[in-house]
Amino acid sequence: MNVPQSYRLVRRDARERRTVVRLKNGATFGGEEIAICAGPCAVESAEQLELTARAVAHAGANVLRGGAYKPRTSPYSFQGLGEEALKMLRHAADLYGLGVVTEVLDPRDVEKVAQYADMLQIGTRNMQNFSLLSEVGRMRMPVLLKRGLAATVQEWLLAAEYILLGGNESVVLCERGVRSFDVATRNLLDIAVVPLLEDLTHLPVIVDPSHAMGVARLVPPIAVASIAAGAHGLLIEVHPDPANALSDGAQSLDCDQFTRLMDVLVRAAELSGRRLPRNGRRPRPASESAIVSVIESRAVR
Ligand code: PEP
Ligand code: MN
């Protein structure tokens, strides 16, 4: 890869060691433990969020996700509950020892979102919103930088460079699929970037199979594949009642499906020489054949 001069701080040889990003609750991205971020696409109510937080924590997730400010394609779609949702996220996460990752859409909201969240998510539509990148670069808290809808790896790394240049070194990259000619899945997951980025940057990389696939049934096998490819974490949409979700219901796992997936991911992590967080997890044995069945995507039908 021909690296431009400006691509200095994120490149692999800019640091002796790989970056490990740690949230206040102890969740780590980039170490031996794989971070599991799970929760609804959008925060809809306190009840919806607490049910989800409880279920994902008991299944072993260590970070609660949920949108308070939603980047919806249509201005008529549900836009999120704003600061009320931020309060609900903080409350539900604290009940179960979870960290909070949530998207910030507007540079003017960065300080406010930072009061409640442990990690600021920059969504795919904002990957090249340079004023937003500079604003989160001024913060001293972890940032989850999703790959742009049609961003090259180099554009993505240069977006991360903006954040590091502001002095914020706690950046995690998130592959969530890119636009392609083929609409058979919502986006085309570029799983090759997981090992590729391992060579190009010291920053950790996680995968979001939910937005990549767009269909819940395809999420478990791709989550397993992401761990096998070396991802340092997963971002998975979970909803207690996906059929009635206000956004992204089709790609959301229900709480039982997520719990079954986590049983399999424990084994996948072991096979790749790493481990899942313990958190509130109640251990249940999963056989090798459970891995096979999830790869064949029978597990959540
Ligand atoms: C999300 O995480 O809910 C989201 C909107 O993701 P993306 O920016 O990847 O579309
Ligand atoms: Mn979503």
Side-chain angles (χ1 to χ4, degrees):
M1 191 170 183
N2 191 11
V3 173
Q5 275 295 307
S6 52
Y7 178 82
R8 291 181 200 161
L9 301 173
V10 302
R11 54 191 293 167
R12 177 65 193 90
D13 57 11
R15 298 282 181 279
E16 215 167 284
R17 295 179 180 200
R18 295 193 170 280
T19 294
V20 177
V21 172
R22 183 181 294 274
L23 307 195
K24 281 195 198 118
N25 75 326
T28 57
F29 300 73
E32 277 191 7
E33 192 174 278
I34 292 165
I36 304 292
C37 314
C41 180
V43 176
E44 298 168 7
S45 68
E47 193 198 4
Q48 169 238 22
L49 194 63
E50 284 178 31
L51 271 174
T52 315
R54 180 169 183 274
V56 300
H58 283 163
N62 53 357
V63 183
L64 180 64
R65 66 143 286 143
Y69 300 92
K70 294 306 301 175
R72 303 307 298 278
T73 302
S74 164
Y76 304 113
S77 300
F78 177 60
Q79 303 286 309
L81 298 176
E83 192 166 3
E84 279 313 299
L86 296 175
K87 289 179 186 164
M88 292 175 198
L89 277 166
R90 187 70 269 161
H91 178 73
D94 288 346
L95 287 176
Y96 301 104
L98 300 163
V100 170
V101 60
T102 192
E103 178 164 358
V104 57
L105 282 181
D106 187 322
R108 293 168 297 188
D109 288 335
V110 169
E111 296 275 350
K112 181 167 59 189
V113 176
Q115 278 174 28
Y116 300 97
D118 301 305
M119 185 179 220
L120 302 170
Q121 178 173 322
I122 304 294
T124 197
R125 293 157 189 82
N126 270 319
M127 190 206 82
Q128 283 186 317
N129 179 338
F130 299 114
S131 53
L132 183 59
L133 295 174
S134 298
E135 201 57 41
V136 300
R138 270 195 278 279
M139 305 300 287
R140 294 294 172 268
M141 71 184 292
V143 174
L144 185 64
L145 179 64
K146 288 193 148 195
R147 183 180 186 173
L149 281 172
T152 65
V153 167
Q154 195 168 98
E155 287 162 345
W156 187 14
L157 288 173
L158 286 169
E161 187 85 15
Y162 267 88
I163 302 171
L164 269 74
L165 196 56
N168 189 349
E169 310 248 318
S170 299
V171 176
V172 175
L173 302 168
C174 179
E175 164 64 30
R176 45 78 74 205
V178 290
R179 278 271 167 97
S180 88
F181 58 90
D182 194 343
V183 293
T185 56
R186 182 176 182 182
N187 290 290
L188 192 66
L189 184 72
D190 184 2
I191 206 160
V193 296
V194 175
L196 177 66
L197 286 167
E198 194 101 12
D199 293 339
L200 298 180
T201 179
H202 54 85
L203 298 174
V205 56
I206 73 167
V207 173
D208 168 357
S210 305
H211 290 88
M213 295 298 115
V215 185
R217 189 174 73 72
L218 301 179
V219 169
I222 302 309
V224 172
S226 301
I227 298 302
H232 295 120
L234 293 170
L235 187 76
I236 296 179
E237 285 190 340
V238 180
H239 193 288
D241 182 12
N244 289 303
L246 295 182
S247 66
D248 286 349
Q251 68 196 30
S252 299
L253 301 186
D254 68 25
C255 298
D256 285 347
Q257 289 169 334
F258 179 72
T259 303
R260 289 207 294 279
L261 171 61
M262 287 294 280
D263 287 338
V264 177
L265 290 178
V266 167
R267 302 296 298 272
E270 267 169 28
L271 291 173
S272 74
R274 286 153 329 131
R275 61 174 189 276
L276 286 198
R278 289 244 172 77
N279 215 26
R281 197 180 138 72
R282 302 166 177 150
R284 291 195 301 166
S287 64
E288 297 281 338
S289 65
I291 292 185
V292 172
S293 81
V294 87
I295 288 171
E296 291 171 355
S297 73
R298 286 199 289 258
V300 299
R301 273 186 197 173

